Amino acid sequence: VEGKQVEAASAAQAMAVTVVRDIEAGPEASTSGFAEEKPSWFTPKRLLVMFCIINMLNYVDRGVIASNGVNGSRGSCSGGTCSSGSGIQGDFNLSNFEDGVLSSAFMVGLLVASPIFASLAKIHNPFRLIGVGLLVWTIATAGCGCSFDFWSITICRMLVGVGEASFISLAAPFIDDNAPAAQKTAWLAMFYMCIPTGIALGYVYGGLVGGHLHWRAAFWGESILMLPFVILGFVIKPLELKGFTHNKKTKEYGPMLSPELQDETSNNGIKQGVPAIVEGLAEKLPEKSSLSSFGKKVMIEIHHFGKDMKELLQERVYVVNVAGYIFYNFVIGAYSYWGPKAGQDIYHMASADLMFGGITIVCGIFGTLAGGFILDKIDSTISNAFKLLSGATFLGAIFCFGAFCFKSLYGFIPFFSVGELLVFATQAPVNYICLHSVKPSLRPLSMAMSTVSIHILGDVPSSPIVGFIQDKIHNWRTTALLLTSILIGAFVCWFCGMFS
């Protein structure tokens, strides 16, 4: 008798699964099972190439708004002669502080949206979320070109940050999942190599387009270049991320249909799971469109977010790593924005955009790739990553500090180049630690909160602070030396990381 009851229970459970499949898939779907899905168009290498180009375009935008051709200069008067301003700063008559605020405005959207996209990745396909973010980014950059005053372009810059948030939170985990086991750090290095390369290309692109056409045209060009990737994000079969599953069978009913479901048993050992499934199904269907159900889901997601955040902050290795990354990004963010202006003022460079762009692109490519390949060669472990981070940062700080001590441009260029080569070698190791110091399901959140932290405490305040200091002391050399000394904070944190 018990055997027949168990068989009946199994049959009823199968029937319940079939009913849910039919409800989710629609009336035209077959209830006998699903056909084999075609594999995604993306091979791992195609995915890497696509993500690298998107990442580069994101950072081209950072370089564009910092370039002298787009950012320009404020109008000035001396000796009874007045000169008109140029670029954004000239058209909107911005002070250095306001100009620094403009450079950091996109961070506001980035900081707010990053944890939201990381949380949404648990209930929506991360690949589609990237597509949504890129669409927002494309519209916002076009809006920057149409802005008419300081506040309009500031709002558009915030929306650029919202668009970028989905990509920076989710792209690195996708790459980590698809990279060959022995080349994970090297693949991450190729991805993060696009940061200095993009900024450098942005300097050059912004200088050329801003100088020959108009600063607005530079933003419109970015928007056009990103459009094909927006389309791909929506039309290509989405990929799954390790630690997450998003399929029709479990999308709405969650663990009720999960194969890991543990059925409750009665005192005589007969499974009672089927009635619970049928009853749960009856309860779920009427609530599907109700506001109370939506409110419950929001509260559940907030609870899960809080629980994940608590677990993340208990990872001491992760916290120490991000602390060092904050110091690092404070300096790099200000370098990337104020570098061309400081170089032009200190060394009277004829074309500071091209000079800084050239140094950054060469050192960024070789430094970032070298950091990734070296870590793979010496064995990709968290301990070795911290050793590489602390050593490269300490030496890089010495060379960059020494560079600004030279009065001659010919002394500055080689020292600053070596310094940037060493500093950029940290990109792959620091993100390797962010990904591998937490469990797989926390990786999107770890990348999102790392991004939030390094921006809200790093390059968001650094550009306005440096602009404020320069407005007070009017000496770019002293300002640059004070800024560079902050790299020692990154060295101390990452050195301590070896003992965490």
Side-chain angles (χ1 to χ4, degrees), residues 88-153:
I88 296 172
Q89 194 171 16
D91 284 5
F92 300 148
N93 194 30
L94 306 180
S95 67
N96 281 336
F97 176 74
E98 289 174 321
D99 199 21
V101 170
L102 183 62
S103 76
S104 302
F106 86 99
M107 299 293 184
V108 176
L110 187 76
L111 302 180
V112 172
S114 290
I116 294 175
F117 277 114
S119 296
L120 287 175
K122 290 190 172 184
I123 54 176
H124 296 286
N125 188 279
F127 198 76
R128 289 290 185 254
L129 292 177
I130 289 175
V132 171
L134 295 181
L135 177 61
V136 175
W137 190 96
T138 302
I139 295 171
T141 50
C144 289
C146 300
S147 56
F148 50 87
D149 62 8
F150 171 71
W151 286 109
S152 63
I153 194 170

Side-chain angles (χ1 to χ4, degrees), residues 134 205 455 481:
L134 295 181
Y205 167 76
H455 290 317
L481 289 171

Side-chain angles (χ1 to χ4, degrees), residues 293-312:
S293 177
F294 175 76
K296 289 178 182 177
K297 289 179 181 178
V298 171
M299 294 306 298
I300 289 171
E301 288 306 316
I302 292 174
H303 172 73
H304 288 165
F305 175 76
K307 184 178 178 182
D308 289 344
M309 277 299 302
K310 181 180 179 181
E311 187 174 353
L312 190 65

Side-chain angles (χ1 to χ4, degrees), residues 57 137 141-142 205 209 216-226:
L57 287 174
W137 190 96
T141 50
Y205 167 76
V209 175
R216 297 179 186 275
F219 290 114
W220 294 333
E222 294 174 23
S223 186
I224 292 170
L225 290 171
M226 185 65 82

Side-chain angles (χ1 to χ4, degrees), residues 304-362:
H304 288 165
F305 175 76
K307 184 178 178 182
D308 289 344
M309 277 299 302
K310 181 180 179 181
E311 187 174 353
L312 190 65
L313 292 175
Q314 289 174 343
E315 295 287 352
R316 187 171 58 179
V317 171
Y318 173 81
V319 172
V320 170
N321 183 53
V322 172
Y325 206 4
I326 290 169
F327 284 107
Y328 170 89
N329 219 51
F330 187 97
V331 177
I332 297 302
Y335 270 177
S336 67
Y337 192 75
W338 294 113
K341 284 189 177 182
Q344 192 172 41
D345 182 85
I346 298 170
Y347 297 106
H348 309 291
M349 296 179 183
S351 53
D353 287 341
L354 293 175
M355 177 66 72
F356 267 83
I359 293 174
T360 303
I361 195 169
V362 172

Side-chain angles (χ1 to χ4, degrees), residues 176-458:
D176 190 56
D177 281 355
N178 288 276
Q183 299 178 344
K184 286 187 179 292
T185 317
W187 278 43
L188 287 173
M190 293 178 198
F191 177 71
Y192 287 105
M193 172 195 73
C194 299
I195 293 177
T197 306
I199 292 173
L201 288 175
Y203 290 154
V204 177
Y205 167 76
L208 292 175
V209 175
H212 292 84
L213 296 175
H214 197 277
W215 64 264
R216 297 179 186 275
F219 290 114
W220 294 333
E222 294 174 23
S223 186
I224 292 170
L225 290 171
M226 185 65 82
L227 192 57
F229 300 103
V230 175
I231 296 170
L232 279 176
F234 284 105
V235 301
I236 298 298
K237 177 181 176 290
L239 303 176
E240 290 291 348
L241 195 58
K242 185 187 294 182
F244 300 90
T245 48
H246 306 85
N247 54 63
K248 293 182 177 180
K249 290 184 288 182
T250 61
K251 178 181 178 182
E252 199 59 49
Y253 304 100
M256 182 178 66
L257 299 178
S258 171
E260 289 80 19
L261 177 68
Q262 299 296 319
D263 292 320
E264 296 180 358
T265 58
S266 65
N267 292 333
N268 59 5
I270 300 174
K271 293 189 176 181
Q272 302 294 323
V274 176
I277 290 175
V278 177
E279 183 181 351
L281 178 60
E283 291 175 356
K284 289 287 182 178
L285 291 177
E287 293 179 359
K288 195 170 182 180
S289 60
S290 67
L291 291 176
S292 61
S293 177
F294 175 76
K296 289 178 182 177
K297 289 179 181 178
V298 171
M299 294 306 298
I300 289 171
E301 288 306 316
I302 292 174
H303 172 73
H304 288 165
F305 175 76
K307 184 178 178 182
D308 289 344
M309 277 299 302
K310 181 180 179 181
E311 187 174 353
L312 190 65
L313 292 175
Q314 289 174 343
E315 295 287 352
R316 187 171 58 179
V317 171
Y318 173 81
V319 172
V320 170
N321 183 53
V322 172
Y325 206 4
I326 290 169
F327 284 107
Y328 170 89
N329 219 51
F330 187 97
V331 177
I332 297 302
Y335 270 177
S336 67
Y337 192 75
W338 294 113
K341 284 189 177 182
Q344 192 172 41
D345 182 85
I346 298 170
Y347 297 106
H348 309 291
M349 296 179 183
S351 53
D353 287 341
L354 293 175
M355 177 66 72
F356 267 83
I359 293 174
T360 303
I361 195 169
V362 172
C363 297
I365 290 173
F366 286 103
T368 308
L369 288 177
F373 282 106
I374 289 172
L375 185 56
D376 277 336
K377 288 295 182 183
I378 64 175
D379 192 13
S380 297
T381 64
I382 290 177
S383 176
N384 285 341
F386 273 126
K387 291 175 184 176
L388 184 57
L389 286 173
S390 56
T393 304
F394 182 72
L395 293 175
I398 291 174
F399 275 93
C400 287
F401 191 91
F404 285 108
C405 293
F406 281 97
K407 293 185 177 181
S408 167
L409 178 63
Y410 299 105
F412 169 80
I413 290 176
F415 264 69
F416 191 70
S417 298
V418 173
E420 282 214 318
L421 193 72
L422 290 163
V423 166
F424 280 121
T426 61
Q427 283 294 323
V430 72
N431 285 285
Y432 175 88
I433 295 173
C434 283
L435 287 168
H436 292 271
S437 59
V438 300
K439 65 184 184 181
S441 63
L442 286 178
R443 290 180 306 163
L445 184 62
S446 75
M447 297 305 295
M449 297 314 299
S450 167
T451 301
V452 167
S453 301
I454 65 174
H455 290 317
I456 200 169
L457 300 174

